[in-house]
Amino acid sequence: MRVSVCIPTYGMRDVGWYYLQKNLSSIFMQHVHPYEVVISDHSTDDAVKNVAESWKRYLNIEYFRNTDNVGVISSNLNNCIDKSTGDVIDFMLQDDYYVDPTSLQRRVDNLGDKQWGLSSTIHYSSEKNQFYWHLVPAYRPDIYLGFNSIGSPSLLTMRRENAPRFDDRLFMLTDCDYFKQLHDKFGMPPVTNSITVVTCMWEGQSQNAVSETKKQAEIDIVKSKY
């Protein structure tokens, strides 16, 4: 089974390259390397690209500068899907990383023969320099309204064939809407409480700057869909 690790990236206030370096290091440490690492980059400079290029001697990295809908993560996630060629996609957001060398294999094993699967995470606060909150994903019917009981796409492993598209009108609700799409199309996923990824939380994350007006506009969009 060919696994594509898909990483949407951007400048992240000039620290994106640092987080990507840590992410790629955790991929390299896996006991079983992925078939490819697909990076779709919304950066406006070459800092992220330079890190990706430096890792090509160690991993099969496919780097793409994405100039479409810059700043819209759903567009970047869709480009990752489009550019990947593996049978299975394992999403990793840029500022997250695998917790140990068995993480990727455990995520693929959890997927089994299902269309999508979820694994657990431990959060890390860069401000407090501490780990906290072991999150075990759980689906809830109103998740699309922003009640995200699952977490980020970094907890998601799925088959590339028949994969739905992320809604590029959304930002804050991108992942919530996508999890509902997957559930409605394929049913409940297998979930493991085994921690496979560290979810990094830091003050410069873009979602922290989203206005209440924008949040409400997105809620109106998903309400009209469902």
Side-chain angles (χ1 to χ4, degrees):
M1 181 185 298
R2 301 186 306 176
V3 179
S4 301
V5 174
C6 288
I7 310 174
T9 64
Y10 66 108
M12 294 180 70
R13 301 186 183 183
D14 298 325
V15 296
W17 65 270
Y18 166 79
Y19 282 107
L20 180 62
Q21 178 81 12
K22 193 168 187 177
N23 190 325
L24 293 176
S25 179
S26 78
I27 296 173
F28 177 72
M29 293 298 292
Q30 294 305 296
H31 289 164
V32 179
H33 282 182
Y35 168 72
E36 63 183 358
V37 178
V38 178
I39 298 174
S40 178
D41 187 20
H42 266 170
S43 296
T44 56
D45 60 31
D46 289 337
V48 167
K49 179 182 179 180
N50 290 340
V51 169
E53 293 291 335
S54 71
W55 276 92
K56 283 189 173 182
R57 72 183 72 177
Y58 306 111
L59 295 165
N60 180 23
I61 291 179
E62 299 292 339
Y63 171 89
F64 302 94
R65 177 66 60 83
N66 182 13
T67 58
D68 294 334
N69 298 317
V70 172
V72 180
I73 188 173
S74 51
S75 172
N76 228 9
L77 287 162
N78 283 332
N79 195 51
C80 280
I81 296 173
D82 293 341
K83 300 299 186 183
S84 65
T85 60
D87 306 301
V88 168
I89 289 174
D90 201 58
F91 284 110
M92 283 288 287
L93 296 190
Q94 178 177 359
D95 46 353
D96 299 336
Y97 58 92
Y98 290 124
V99 71
D100 66 38
T102 70
S103 293
L104 181 57
Q105 187 63 57
R106 285 189 285 126
R107 289 160 71 101
V108 173
D109 289 346
N110 176 64
L111 178 66
D113 61 356
K114 302 298 184 180
Q115 178 69 27
W116 67 305
L118 299 167
S119 61
S120 299
T121 185
I122 186 76
H123 289 70
Y124 172 76
S125 169
S126 59
E127 181 180 2
K128 297 180 180 180
N129 189 29
Q130 67 180 29
F131 293 94
Y132 68 102
W133 190 21
H134 174 185
L135 172 63
V136 180
Y139 184 81
R140 51 185 288 176
D142 58 356
I143 191 171
Y144 68 100
L145 294 175
F147 301 104
N148 193 350
S149 53
I150 289 180
S152 80
S154 291
L155 279 62
L156 172 62
T157 307
M158 70 177 190
R159 298 190 183 281
R160 183 170 61 87
E161 187 176 6
N162 299 321
R165 307 286 292 175
F166 286 86
D167 190 331
D168 60 13
R169 297 173 297 172
L170 303 176
F171 183 81
M172 282 296 296
L173 299 180
T174 295
D175 43 9
C176 295
D177 174 76
Y178 200 69
F179 295 140
K180 178 166 176 58
Q181 287 193 66
L182 287 167
H183 173 269
D184 289 355
K185 189 173 183 180
F186 303 111
M188 292 292 288
V191 178
T192 173
N193 62 7
S194 175
I195 297 172
T196 64
V197 64
V198 175
T199 299
C200 294
M201 309 298 292
W202 59 291
E203 62 180 10
Q205 289 175 307
S206 54
Q207 62 263 37
N208 294 335
V210 178
S211 68
E212 291 301 319
T213 300
K214 174 61 175 173
K215 292 178 184 177
Q216 185 58 52
E218 292 196 14
I219 290 174
D220 292 341
I221 289 173
V222 294
K223 281 184 175 180
S224 69
K225 289 176 65 173
Y226 304 113

